[in-house]
Amino acid sequence: MSSAVQAGRTGKTRWIGPAVVAGAVVYIVIAVWQAVLYPAVIPEAVAIAVLLAVFASGLAMKNPEAMKKGEMAAVWICILLFAAYGILRIGGLL
């Protein structure tokens, strides 16, 4: 990170990234535990664990420009998935 970006991350804000990563780790453990208890949810547990790992690892990026691009990609993926869900729902497929 540049010195200007590091200077802006003081006090409480410097703990946001590690807190989000810790939360993601907790949810990954829960997903794995649910997969162990209920083998029928293994595909969903794997998908959740992978998505959480990918998004949490984005916080470890040192390049703010790359992080911004990753965040924008995630936002557009969510928008497109929501639109696809709406179209499938209106079409009667869901």
Side-chain angles (χ1 to χ4, degrees):
M1 278 189 230
S2 70
S3 59
V5 173
Q6 286 179 340
R9 296 182 73 178
T10 58
K12 294 179 183 177
T13 59
R14 69 178 178 190
W15 298 105
I16 291 174
V20 171
V21 171
V25 169
V26 168
Y27 278 107
I28 289 170
V29 169
I30 291 170
V32 169
W33 182 248
Q34 289 298 309
V36 169
L37 292 177
Y38 307 104
V41 300
I42 288 175
E44 291 90 349
V46 169
I48 291 293
V50 168
L51 286 173
L52 284 171
V54 167
F55 289 130
S57 68
L59 292 171
M61 289 184 183
K62 301 294 182 193
N63 183 352
E65 194 62 35
M67 190 182 331
K68 182 178 179 180
K69 287 181 182 179
E71 289 171 351
M72 290 308 298
V75 167
W76 278 107
I77 288 170
C78 290
I79 290 169
L80 294 174
L81 287 174
F82 184 74
Y85 170 77
I87 291 168
L88 292 173
R89 185 82 174 161
I90 289 172
L93 298 173
L94 292 178

